Each structure stands twice: as C-alpha cells, then as structure tokens.
Amino acid sequence: VAMAATRSVMRAVRVFEFGGPEVLKLQSDVLVPVPKENQVLIKVHACGVNPVETYIRSGTYARKPALPYTPGSDVAGVIESVGEQVTAFKKGDRVFTLETVSGGYAEYAVAAANRVFPLPDKLDFRQGAAIGVPYFTAYRALFQKGCAKAGETVLVHGASGGVGLAACQIARACGLKVLGTAGTEEGMKVVLRNGAHQAFNHRDPDYTERIKACTGPGGVDIIIEMLSNVNLDADLQLLSCAGRVMVVGCRGRIEINPRDTMSKESSIIGVSLFLATEEERHECATAVRDGIEAGWLKPVVGLEYPLEKVAKAHEDIICSSGARGKMVLLL
C-alpha cells in the first residue's frame, strides 16, 4: 500500500467526448491502474499511434469505448508490477504489448499478461512500440486471411507506414515478390530498404500502368490495401486470376464494378486484428518472435511526439503527405 501511495497518480491522455484531435486531454492527476489477476502494470516508455485510434476517437468506428477512456494499445516499457497468477513476467522486464486494458497514451498501462511479450535487448522502446499492431496485422493479412505463398507477387499499397513496412519485411522474408507504393521519394526509398523489390509513387497519375508493366499479364496475387476507399476500384484491375485484395484500412465509401471480380474470380477480404482468435494471435506472436531472432524484423520508427503533442500526432497521421515508419509517442 505504501508503494502505491508514492505513485498513485500519473499523466495520461483522456477522451471525455468523441470528436476531433482537440478532444484528447492530457491530465496529470489520473490514478495509476492496479493489475488484477493475469494482468501486468507496465511503466510506458513509448506508445505507438495507429490510424484506427483516430477513427475510434472521432466516434465513427464500429467499436466505441465507454467514455471517458485513454487511447493506445501498442506500448513498450518495463514491468512495474504483476497481478496474481502471472509467472511469465517480473518487475524490471522489458516488454511490448499488442493491446492494453487501461490505454497506452499514459505513463503506466495495465495489460493482460497473454498480450505482453518480451522485448529483446537489440530493439529499443521506440521500436518496441512499433511491433504489436503493425506486424500482427501484416502477418494476419498476408497469411491467415490472404493465404500468401512463396513465389506469389504482393502489392503493398501505402507501404511506407507502420503496417506497410511490416508487410514488406514479412513478405520478403517469406519468399514473395514485393511491390510497394508510397507518396514521396523518401517514402519510396524507405520501402525499398525494407524488402520491396520495386517501389511506385501513388501520386504519379500512371503508376498503375507501371505496376502492370512490372507484373506482366499475370497481375498481382495479393494486394495489402491501406486506403481502400481510394484504391479498391483500381486494385481489382491489377489482380491476377484468383487474386485477392486484403482490406486493412478504409476511410469512406467507394464505387466498384463487381463484374471485375467475376472476370478473375478474385476476392475482396476484410482484415481485423480485433477478430483474431487466441490461436491466431499466438501464431502471429511466434512469427514475430522468429522474425526478431532471424533479424529481418526491424521496426522503422517515423515521427516521434511527446505526450503533450498527442493532438498534433492524431492530426498528422491522417493528414501528412506521406508516412515513413511507425508514429510513436515518447514518455
């Protein structure tokens, strides 16, 4: 009890109403959560920022948390204390998470022990905060839902962001031919450095023609799509027979011609990490751990913000001209 009293409050971002980035309020008197059975308390050093957190904050997403809440799921830090029944971790362990119970945009966060993983010494906390959602989502999109096989061609649309770079690294390591798009020259370079065989600028008006020239009549077997409300119609033209578009991200509606799927017997498949089973999450975790050990899983950290600038981070992740890695908050 004495120990709890010394650190009973913390700084954390709270959302009291759904809306724009301005509803993110940094408060300095939030109670430090206490880990229950099978939970751990993490002292947060870095927390990833994901586009989905902006959709949830705006109130337009399918899942609405009870207000008030603290956003954030990908944290990296050090175990502060453990709840009953937890044997896998002890105080002082370096860890990263896939999701938190109490919210990651905070100095301390509670997470279920089975959503927490050891962070190897070769990765820093910033990189640790860039693993969870991006790599698990990329692996799920490619293999659990997309049934990717070595030798197939994958197009990663929006390849310079957190999920995109993870998809490039994983696909390359697993023997696929990797094509990536980005919106800037710098973004294209990052994509090529992280596993893509070729990169295309999606601001170039005839970039889809260039992709077709690159793949030849065969087309693309799998498209990992971060902005389906813009690209889905064109994606269907790029696919091979039995090709599939994996919808990872979407910010609105789009008109397509379903006939385009008939001519190739192609598929449009939605991807949601939230719906993964325990077994599937375990499979993702194993793939990620193997990738870290083998050395091909190297999270690329992009823009970094202090907790005070969280509203700016939420603005930039949606409005910036082009991503270059995973955006993180530093504590």
Side-chain angles (χ1 to χ4, degrees):
V1 178
M3 184 184 83
T6 58
R7 54 160 187 77
S8 53
V9 295
M10 63 175 181
R11 292 188 312 144
V13 173
R14 303 291 281 161
V15 174
F16 294 91
E17 58 178 331
F18 295 113
E22 70 282 353
V23 302
L24 297 162
K25 305 289 185 204
L26 180 57
Q27 303 203 297
S28 53
D29 57 354
V30 180
L31 286 174
V32 173
V34 177
K36 301 193 177 89
E37 194 176 21
N38 295 313
Q39 293 181 338
V40 299
L41 179 67
I42 300 166
K43 182 173 185 356
V44 179
H45 286 255
C47 179
V49 180
N50 298 290
V52 69
E53 288 145 26
T54 70
Y55 312 152
I56 294 170
R57 181 215 69 226
S58 69
T60 58
Y61 197 62
R63 275 189 294 138
K64 278 197 184 71
L67 296 166
Y69 77 99
T70 294
S73 56
D74 291 327
V75 310
V78 175
I79 298 281
E80 178 71 23
S81 61
V82 300
E84 287 177 34
Q85 311 291 321
V86 176
T87 54
F89 300 103
K90 62 184 184 314
K91 184 176 163 68
D93 287 349
R94 286 163 43 96
V95 294
F96 71 93
T97 65
L98 183 58
E99 59 186 271
T100 67
V101 176
S102 60
Y105 296 7
E107 289 179 325
Y108 291 90
V110 161
N114 64 353
R115 300 280 188 278
V116 176
F117 307 95
L119 179 65
D121 288 336
K122 63 169 129 174
L123 299 178
D124 63 29
F125 292 118
R126 292 151 54 252
Q127 291 175 303
I131 300 173
V133 170
Y135 283 89
F136 281 60
T137 301
Y139 183 86
R140 181 168 181 75
L142 282 163
F143 298 104
Q144 292 176 343
K145 295 291 158 190
C147 305
K149 294 180 197 61
E152 287 191 314
T153 298
V154 60
L155 169 65
V156 183
H157 237 317
S160 62
V163 177
L165 289 169
C168 288
Q169 291 178 2
I170 294 171
R172 180 67 181 250
C174 295
L176 282 89
K177 181 179 180 186
V178 185
L179 313 177
T181 76
T184 62
E185 283 300 313
E186 185 52 39
M188 287 165 67
K189 285 181 190 152
V190 172
V191 169
L192 288 168
R193 279 202 299 271
N194 284 280
H197 292 86
Q198 272 180 284
F200 303 86
N201 190 327
H202 55 66
R203 294 179 199 283
D204 177 350
D206 59 353
Y207 84 96
T208 53
E209 293 309 313
R210 291 176 187 221
I211 292 171
K212 283 179 185 164
C214 171
T215 61
V220 176
D221 300 298
I222 304 175
I223 298 177
I224 307 292
E225 184 52 76
M226 313 302 169
L227 200 60
S228 45
N229 54 300
V230 172
N231 301 320
L232 188 57
D233 187 48
D235 287 344
L236 295 176
Q237 325 293 323
L238 293 172
L239 287 177
S240 63
C241 274
R244 46 265 185 226
V245 180
M246 312 309 301
V247 178
V248 172
C250 183
R251 296 181 188 172
R253 304 177 74 83
I254 184 171
E255 192 173 305
I256 62 165
N257 185 348
R259 187 177 290 275
D260 293 335
T261 65
M262 295 158 62
S263 58
K264 296 172 178 171
E265 292 194 330
S266 57
S267 315
I268 301 165
I269 302 169
V271 180
S272 171
L273 187 55
F274 184 66
L275 296 175
T277 63
E278 205 52 58
E279 203 177 351
E280 287 172 331
R281 261 191 292 257
H282 183 73
E283 185 193 337
C284 289
T286 303
V288 163
R289 195 178 56 230
D290 292 348
I292 293 172
E293 277 173 20
W296 57 256
L297 190 155
K298 287 198 204 68
V300 179
V301 177
L303 296 169
E304 302 172 8
Y305 299 79
L307 210 48
E308 297 77 26
K309 295 269 171 44
V310 64
K312 180 87 174 92
H314 267 224
E315 217 169 287
D316 291 351
I317 200 166
I318 296 302
C319 304
S320 76
S321 60
R324 288 187 308 282
K326 171 78 181 231
M327 182 180 284
V328 297
L329 299 172
L330 297 180
L331 286 98

